[in-house]
């Protein structure tokens, strides 16, 4: 048989429905359980002795939804007989990432997310907040992770998910949360968000969850947030990698005397003059580039300790 992506959710393998590769299927046998994985054609095959009843089981991968029974009882087959059993699966919806952000009480905090659909169906979105907290969902039309003038309130039609529709997914959204003014500084709460999808043409529902965590600051608070990234997922000797460190203050007061220390791996070395003579490091300040040296004698700029 085959394990296939059941786009129309009818449990029947149609010619235009591709398969899933690497899905495990087991078959009971007097000599022990036999295991196969679907091959490049999404097919599996067992060759066993005739005359015995057996049980066939699909081990549905995590994040997948079965539209056909995972366990199938097979009657005793005659010699030379072929029994065909196909398994219909679809991928469930997903929402990410989990965010941890800070804000003072009495203000709003915005949590960006991306929704990805694995199959067609209408969805709903909801969040569980403490009493007095209020949330609103927006469609992040420019997918920049920030609520702007071009964004709109999330409509029910936005959650009609379909991975085969170019305008449907991935769907960027923002959950804006109002923190009541009486919440004490230092309070940290978990806000689970549940995405629930009903597969089209069925009564089957699938869920995906993610949890955001706001930290409530005192109204006179400053806070330093750092995020480091690299432009290459993997590199060989001789490759040049560009590391980016973004630092922000999500509080409401300034943070002064900031010193950022970034340990370099022993596997890399700093490229001198990377941005031109005497320009070892680029600092983007207020949208303009400022260039620093990594000279130990330039105490007011970047200091490189080779050890």
């Amino acid at each position: 048989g085959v394990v296939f992506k059941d786009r129309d959710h009818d449990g029947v393998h149609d010619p235009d429905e591709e398969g899933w590769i690497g899905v495990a299927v087991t078959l009971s046998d007097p000599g022990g359980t036999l295991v196969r994985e679907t091959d490049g054609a999404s097919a599996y095959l067992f060759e066993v002795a005739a005359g015995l009843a057996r049980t066939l089981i699909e081990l549905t991968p995590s994040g997948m939804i079965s539209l056909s029974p995972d366990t199938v009882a097979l009657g005793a087959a005659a010699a030379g007989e072929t029994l065909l059993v196909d398994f219909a699966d679809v991928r469930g919806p997903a929402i990410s990432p989990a965010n941890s952000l800070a804000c003072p009480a009495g203000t709003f905090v915005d949590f960006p997310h991306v929704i990805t659909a694995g199959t067609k169906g209408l969805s709903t979105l909801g969040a569980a907040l403490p009493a007095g907290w209020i949330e609103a969902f927006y469609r992040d039309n420019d997918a920049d992770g920030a609520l702007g003038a071009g964004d709109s309130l999330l409509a029910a039609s936005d959650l009609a998910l379909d991975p085969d529709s170019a305008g449907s997914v991935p769907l960027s959204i923002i959950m804006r949360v109002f923190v009541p003014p009486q919440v004490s500084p230092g309070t940290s709460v978990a806000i689970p968000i549940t995405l629930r999808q009903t597969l089209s043409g069925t009564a089957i529902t699938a869920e995906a969850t993610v949890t955001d965590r706001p930290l409530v600051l005192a109204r006179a608070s400053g806070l330093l947030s750092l995020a480091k990234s690299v432009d290459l997922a993997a590199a060989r000797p001789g490759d040049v990698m560009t590391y980016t460190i973004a630092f922000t203050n999500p509080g409401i007061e300034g943070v002064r005397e900031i010193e950022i220390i970034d340990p370099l791996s022993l596997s890399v070395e700093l490229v001198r003059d990377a941005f031109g003579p005497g320009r070892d490091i680029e600092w983007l300040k207020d949208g303009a580039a400022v260039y620093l040296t990594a000279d130990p004698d330039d105490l007011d700029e970047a200091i490189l300790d080779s050890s």
Side-chain angles (χ1 to χ4, degrees):
V2 297
V3 181
F4 66 96
K5 181 178 179 179
D6 191 8
R7 280 198 182 91
D8 54 9
H9 306 154
D10 65 352
V12 178
H13 186 203
D14 300 321
D16 63 339
E17 292 175 335
E18 68 269 24
W20 299 107
I21 298 173
V23 178
V25 180
T26 70
L27 184 71
S28 62
D29 191 77
T33 300
L34 305 176
V35 182
R36 299 286 186 271
E37 287 191 353
T38 53
D39 57 20
S42 71
Y44 69 91
L45 172 66
F46 294 97
E47 293 181 287
V48 292
L52 293 174
R54 290 180 167 85
T55 301
L56 186 69
I57 300 175
E58 180 208 8
L59 304 180
T60 306
S62 175
M64 303 282 281
I65 304 165
S66 293
L67 301 183
S68 59
D70 287 339
T71 301
V72 179
L74 302 176
E81 183 179 0
T82 300
L83 303 180
L84 296 175
V85 179
D86 294 338
F87 293 101
D89 293 334
V90 292
R91 192 177 300 283
I95 179 170
S96 63
N99 297 284
S100 295
L101 299 175
C103 72
T107 61
F108 296 94
V109 58
D110 296 334
F111 296 97
H113 296 284
V114 175
I115 293 174
T116 305
T119 193
K120 185 177 181 179
L122 295 176
S123 302
T124 59
L125 198 61
L129 288 89
W133 296 50
I134 303 171
E135 93 286 355
F137 290 101
Y138 294 83
R139 179 163 184 160
D140 186 8
N141 292 312
D142 55 7
D144 66 349
L147 193 58
D151 301 327
S152 54
L153 277 169
L154 192 68
S157 58
D158 296 327
L159 293 173
L161 305 178
D162 182 358
D164 297 319
S165 171
S168 174
V169 289
L171 173 64
S172 296
I173 67 165
I174 293 173
M175 180 179 70
R176 166 162 282 192
V177 173
F178 172 71
V179 182
Q182 66 272 20
V183 178
S184 301
T187 299
S188 178
V189 300
I191 302 178
I193 303 172
T194 301
L195 174 69
R196 184 176 289 107
Q197 183 183 29
T198 301
L199 277 56
S200 61
T202 77
I204 299 173
T205 60
E207 289 187 0
T209 61
V210 70
T211 299
D212 289 332
R213 297 182 182 276
L215 171 64
V216 180
L217 304 175
R219 293 201 63 83
S221 294
L223 188 69
L224 188 63
S225 175
L226 287 170
K228 181 178 177 180
S229 60
V230 65
D231 64 338
L232 296 182
R236 299 185 179 92
D239 288 350
V240 177
M241 299 180 294
T242 299
Y243 290 92
T244 300
I245 300 174
F247 61 101
T248 57
N249 176 8
I252 59 173
E253 285 199 347
V255 178
R256 301 181 180 277
E257 303 299 332
I258 299 169
E259 181 178 3
I260 298 175
I261 300 175
D262 181 36
L264 293 179
S265 165
L266 295 177
S267 301
V268 302
E269 59 184 28
L270 185 70
V271 177
R272 306 301 290 262
D273 301 330
F275 301 95
R279 296 179 169 187
D280 303 326
I281 298 169
E282 183 182 64
W283 178 22
L284 295 177
K285 181 181 180 183
D286 300 327
V290 177
Y291 295 96
L292 311 178
T293 71
D295 187 340
D297 295 331
D298 290 334
L299 299 182
D300 60 335
E301 293 194 5
I303 303 173
L304 175 65
D305 183 347
S306 59
S307 63

